[in-house]
Amino acid sequence: MKIEQNKVVSVNYHLTGKLEEQPEELIEQTSTEKPFVFLYGGGGVLDEFEKNLNGKKAGDAFDFHIKATSAYGEHNQDYIADIPKQAFHVEGKFDAERVKEGEELPMLDSEGHQMHGLVVEVGDEHVVMDFNHPLAGYDLHFVGSVLDVREATKEELEHGHVHGPHGHHH
Ligand code: ZN
């Protein structure tokens, strides 16, 4: 069976990413016990990821790159913000325990949507936070193989995601 629209696909891969001129770094490694399983066309994965797997079948290997612009976008300076330290006060005190360089914090935007921000710097008055996707600016490189391809069930197509092992449980 070939990978195409409405198939449930299991793949095992090694994902590395490259930020500008820096060396490739490991981002994610799946295994045969814990493969990555997705519904082709379900909207849960990058379009380019699906395109590169189209037509392959169980046992086929793959090795492809996805440019940042087709993945999580370029790193955007506009998504870096200076936030007054008062915003991080808990009971009148700056929460230095939680708000540290390199920490990822859940934040609410002006419309109340939850987003994640990375603490870049803690200054005297402000905290510099980066709201870019953690993989923004990264060119991605997937190397792996297709473990399984099967027909999606009617329910999976209705829900737009995979059920069963490695999928949603409900
Ligand atoms: Zn479901």
Side-chain angles (χ1 to χ4, degrees), residues 4-9 39-42 150-153 156-157:
E4 59 184 339
Q5 194 72 9
N6 298 339
K7 297 287 193 278
V8 170
V9 182
L39 172 62
Y40 193 106
R150 68 166 168 85
E151 211 65 67
T153 64
E156 286 174 323
L157 292 176

Side-chain angles (χ1 to χ4, degrees), residues 49-63:
F49 182 78
E50 290 186 337
K51 267 187 214 159
N52 277 285
L53 294 174
N54 191 288
K56 293 198 181 296
K57 48 193 193 316
D60 284 353
F62 54 84
D63 182 340

Side-chain angles (χ1 to χ4, degrees), residues 27-85:
I27 292 170
E28 189 188 0
Q29 168 84 67
T30 67
S31 65
T32 48
E33 293 77 35
K34 284 189 179 169
F36 178 65
V37 183
F38 69 101
L39 172 62
Y40 193 106
V45 300
L46 297 169
D47 287 351
E48 283 290 314
F49 182 78
E50 290 186 337
K51 267 187 214 159
N52 277 285
L53 294 174
N54 191 288
K56 293 198 181 296
K57 48 193 193 316
D60 284 353
F62 54 84
D63 182 340
F64 59 85
H65 294 258
I66 303 178
K67 284 269 175 218
T69 46
S70 302
Y72 297 97
E74 296 289 359
H75 193 264
N76 189 337
Q77 284 297 121
D78 293 344
Y79 297 157
I80 297 178
D82 282 350
I83 300 171
K85 278 176 105 169

